C-alpha cells in the first residue's frame, strides 16, 4: 500500500443533504505503532514533498500491518509538511500520535471538516458579496430569503449565510429579556449539527449567550427533535458529530433535552422568551436561505410554550447533571460511552489541530477542541 513516485489515491467524501461532497488526495505509507506513537518510514522524500505541495489538500495515511488487526492512522498534508522539515534525509521518519487512528471519531471529523472547508473556500468571494443581503434584512422583524437569490452558492455556503443571519437575528431580539430563552433547534443529524463544531460565528454565538445570562439563576435549555428513524439512518461517525455538538451546548451551560416524536420535526427553530415573544430563526432543513420572524401575539407565544413543555416532559435524556444527560444521549445514539470518553480524551490531549487544519477563515477548531476536552473529562463509568 506504499506510494511510489507521485501516485496517490483519491478519497471521495459524500454528503447526504447539507454537505456538497468533495475529494481529497490520499497517499499510503507503511508504519509501526508503539508507545503511543506511530512511525512512518518514507523511502522517497522527494515524491512525498511533491504530494504535500501547499496548493493541494492531501491526507497521509499510515498503515500498520504488524498488529493483530491492521490499523490506519491519518494526518493532513499541512501537518505532514511541517513535520517533514525536521527530517530532511532521504529516508524520512514521521511520527504521529496513536490518537490519530482512523476510526469513527476521526473519520467523522475529517468527513465534515473537509467538506465544510472546501464549500466555504469555493464561495469565499460570493459570501463576502452576499453579506449585503444579510445586513439589509437584519433590522426587519421578519424575513425569508429564497435560495434562488443565491443560486451560485454551494449548499455549505448557503448554510453558512443562513446560520450567520439567524444567529444575529436571535441576538438582536433578546434585548430586554431578563431570563435566558428556551431554545428549539432543527438539527437532527451530525451532518446538520457539524456547523456548531466548526463555524466561527456559532462559537461566538454560544459565548455571547453565556456572557449575557451569566449569573442568572434560571438555566438556559435547548430542545432537539431526533426521531429514531434518523438515528437508524445515520452512520456512527455522524452520530458522534451530533453528540459532540450537543455536548458543546452543555459545556456552555445549556441544558439539553431530546424528544423523539417525529411530529415535531417540522417545527422551526426558535428562541422563546417566556411570556413575551418567540424569535423564529431557521436555516436547517428548509428551502430558504433562512426564515426569521418575531412573534408577540399571546396566543401564538403560548403555543410555542406548549410545544416546549410537551417535548421536554418526555425527553429521552432527562437527568440532573450534564454527565447524566450526555450518558443517556450516548445510549440513545448507540455510541459506546466508555470508548467515546477514552477517544475524546486521547484526541484532545494530542490536539485536533495536529490531525487536520482548516483553510477557510470562516472555520475554527476551537469549538471541537472544547467539546473533545469536555467529554474526555467526564467519568467513563458513570
Amino acid at each position: 500500500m506504499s506510494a511510489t513516485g507521485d501516485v496517490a489515491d483519491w478519497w471521495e467524501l459524500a454528503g447526504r443533504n447539507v454537505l456538497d461532497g468533495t475529494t481529497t488526495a490520499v497517499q499510503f505509507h507503511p508504519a509501526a505503532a508503539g508507545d503511543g506513537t506511530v512511525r512512518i518510514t518514507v523511502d522517497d522524500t522527494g515524491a512525498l514533498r511533491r504530494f504535500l505541495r501547499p496548493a493541494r489538500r492531501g491526507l497521509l495515511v499510515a498503515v500498520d500491518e504488524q498488529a493483530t488487526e491492521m490499523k490506519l492512522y491519518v494526518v493532513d498534508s499541512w501537518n505532514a509538511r511541517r513535520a517533514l522539515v525536521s527530517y530532511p534525509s532521504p529516508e524520512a521518519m514521521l511520527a504521529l500520535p496513536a490518537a490519530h487512528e482512523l476510526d469513527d471519531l476521526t473519520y467523522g471529523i475529517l468527513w465534515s471538516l473537509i467538506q465544510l472547508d472546501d464549500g466555504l473556500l469555493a464561495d469565499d468571494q460570493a459570501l463576502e458579496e452576499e453579506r449585503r443581503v444579510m445586513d439589509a434584512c437584519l433590522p426587519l422583524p421578519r424575513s425569508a430569503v429564497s435560495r434562488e437569490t443565491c443560486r451560485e452558492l454551494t449548499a455549505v455556503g448557503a448554510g453558512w449565510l443562513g446560520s450567520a443571519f439567524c444567529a444575529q437575528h436571535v441576538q438582536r431580539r433578546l434585548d430586554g429579556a431578563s431570563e435566558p430563552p428556551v431554545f428549539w433547534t432543527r438539527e437532527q443529524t451530525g451532518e446538520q449539527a457539524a456547523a456548531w463544531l466548526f463555524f466561527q460565528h456559532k462559537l461566538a454565538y454560544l459565548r455571547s449567550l453565556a456572557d449575557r445570562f451569566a449569573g442568572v439563576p434560571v438555566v438556559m435549555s435547548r430542545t432537539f427533535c431526533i426521531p429514531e428513524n434518523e438515528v437508524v439512518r445515520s452512520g456512527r461517525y455522524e452520530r458522534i458529530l451530533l453528540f459532540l455538538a450537543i455536548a458543546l451546548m452543555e459545556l456552555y451551560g445549556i441544558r439539553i433535552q431530546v424528544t423523539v416524536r417525529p411530529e415535531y420535526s417540522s417545527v422551526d427553530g426558535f428562541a422563546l422568551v417566556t411570556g413575551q415573544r418567540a424569535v423564529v430563526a431557521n436555516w436547517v432543513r428548509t428551502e430558504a436561505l433562512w426564515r426569521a420572524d418575531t412573534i408577540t401575539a399571546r396566543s401564538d407565544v403560548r403555543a410555542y410554550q406548549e410545544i416546549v413543555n410537551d417535548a421536554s416532559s418526555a425527553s429521552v435524556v432527562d437527568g440532573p447533571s450534564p454527565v447524566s444527560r450526555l450518558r443517556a444521549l450516548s445510549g440513545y445514539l448507540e455510541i459506546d460511552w466508555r470508548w467515546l470518553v477514552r477517544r475524546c480524551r486521547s484526541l484532545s490531549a494530542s490536539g485536533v489541530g495536529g490531525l487536520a487544519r482548516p483553510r477557510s477563515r470562516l472555520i475554527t477548531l476551537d469549538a471541537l477542541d472544547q467539546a473533545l476536552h469536555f467529554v474526555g473529562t467526564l467519568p467513563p463509568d458513570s
Side-chain angles (χ1 to χ4, degrees):
M1 299 179 71
S2 61
T4 58
D6 292 316
V7 174
D9 291 321
W10 290 92
W11 183 15
E12 183 173 355
L13 302 165
R16 292 205 294 155
N17 300 305
V18 178
L19 303 177
D20 299 278
T22 189
T23 58
T24 186
V26 181
Q27 197 174 73
F28 295 89
H29 291 273
D35 298 325
T37 301
V38 181
R39 300 190 179 280
I40 308 173
T41 300
V42 181
D43 295 329
D44 187 347
T45 55
L48 178 60
R49 290 179 192 280
R50 289 189 293 274
F51 173 76
L52 297 178
R53 59 185 183 270
R56 178 176 65 185
R57 180 199 297 281
L59 295 174
L60 204 62
V61 178
V63 184
D64 181 12
E65 297 182 296
Q66 300 177 16
T68 306
E69 181 181 357
M70 185 179 73
K71 292 187 176 182
L72 304 179
Y73 303 84
V74 64
V75 66
D76 74 349
S77 55
W78 190 95
N79 284 291
R81 188 166 58 248
R82 184 180 61 171
L84 196 61
V85 174
S86 304
Y87 298 96
S89 62
E91 292 188 355
M93 180 170 286
L94 306 177
L96 305 180
H100 284 202
E101 181 180 353
L102 189 58
D103 57 12
D104 283 324
L105 175 61
T106 50
Y107 177 86
I109 291 171
L110 293 170
W111 175 80
S112 53
L113 172 59
I114 293 174
Q115 291 188 78
L116 289 170
D117 202 36
D118 283 1
L120 291 178
L121 284 173
D123 287 341
D124 186 68
Q125 185 170 346
L127 286 175
E128 192 64 28
E129 295 171 352
E130 292 301 336
R131 284 177 184 267
R132 68 182 187 277
V133 177
M134 183 171 69
D135 292 341
C137 291
L138 278 172
L140 304 176
R142 63 182 58 85
S143 63
V145 176
S146 170
R147 286 180 185 261
E148 293 299 310
T149 63
C150 303
R151 297 177 62 183
E152 75 281 3
L153 293 179
T154 64
V156 168
W160 181 91
L161 194 63
S163 174
F165 176 86
C166 287
Q168 292 187 55
H169 172 76
V170 170
Q171 287 177 297
R172 281 181 170 225
R173 281 151 187 83
L174 291 183
D175 290 341
S178 58
E179 293 184 354
V182 176
F183 293 94
W184 183 282
T185 191
R186 291 266 287 181
E187 289 89 346
Q188 295 183 331
T189 68
E191 184 184 36
Q192 295 162 6
W196 287 104
L197 299 172
F198 296 111
F199 285 177
Q200 280 193 2
H201 68 262
K202 300 291 266 187
L203 181 58
Y205 175 64
L206 288 177
R207 287 172 171 166
S208 175
L209 289 173
D211 291 342
R212 177 181 293 213
F213 297 106
V216 177
V218 179
V219 177
M220 279 188 288
S221 68
R222 182 177 291 269
T223 301
F224 288 76
C225 174
I226 309 174
E228 293 181 15
N229 63 332
E230 289 296 342
V231 176
V232 172
R233 284 200 290 256
S234 299
R236 191 170 78 145
Y237 66 91
E238 198 180 345
R239 284 179 269 129
I240 290 172
L241 290 172
L242 178 59
F243 177 93
L244 290 174
I246 294 176
L248 186 68
M249 311 289 178
E250 288 279 3
L251 173 61
Y252 275 89
I254 302 174
R255 180 178 181 133
I256 56 103
Q257 301 172 138
V258 175
T259 179
V260 302
R261 294 172 59 178
E263 59 266 32
Y264 286 125
S265 293
S266 60
V267 176
D268 282 329
F270 63 85
L272 176 66
V273 181
T274 304
Q276 297 181 27
R277 58 190 176 274
V279 183
V280 176
N282 190 54
W283 63 277
V284 178
R285 293 188 289 113
T286 175
E287 294 301 318
L289 280 175
W290 67 74
R291 194 180 87 82
D293 203 348
T294 308
I295 296 170
T296 56
R298 288 187 178 182
S299 59
D300 294 333
V301 172
R302 189 163 50 249
Y304 280 98
Q305 185 67 63
E306 290 173 355
I307 290 173
V308 171
N309 293 344
D310 188 38
S312 62
S313 66
S315 174
V316 296
V317 299
D318 190 33
S321 65
V323 64
S324 63
R325 293 189 289 273
L326 292 175
R327 180 69 179 85
L329 177 65
S330 72
Y332 177 65
L333 296 179
E334 299 181 357
I335 306 170
D336 183 83
W337 175 255
R338 291 186 181 183
W339 173 88
L340 182 61
V341 170
R342 176 179 59 81
R343 282 296 284 130
C344 287
R345 182 183 300 129
S346 62
L347 189 55
S348 173
S350 65
V352 179
L355 172 71
R357 305 275 294 205
R359 298 183 296 172
S360 171
R361 59 196 169 87
L362 302 175
I363 286 183
T364 180
L365 295 179
D366 290 349
L368 178 59
D369 270 325
Q370 291 175 23
L372 290 171
H373 177 75
F374 176 56
V375 176
T377 61
L378 299 178
D381 298 319
S382 60

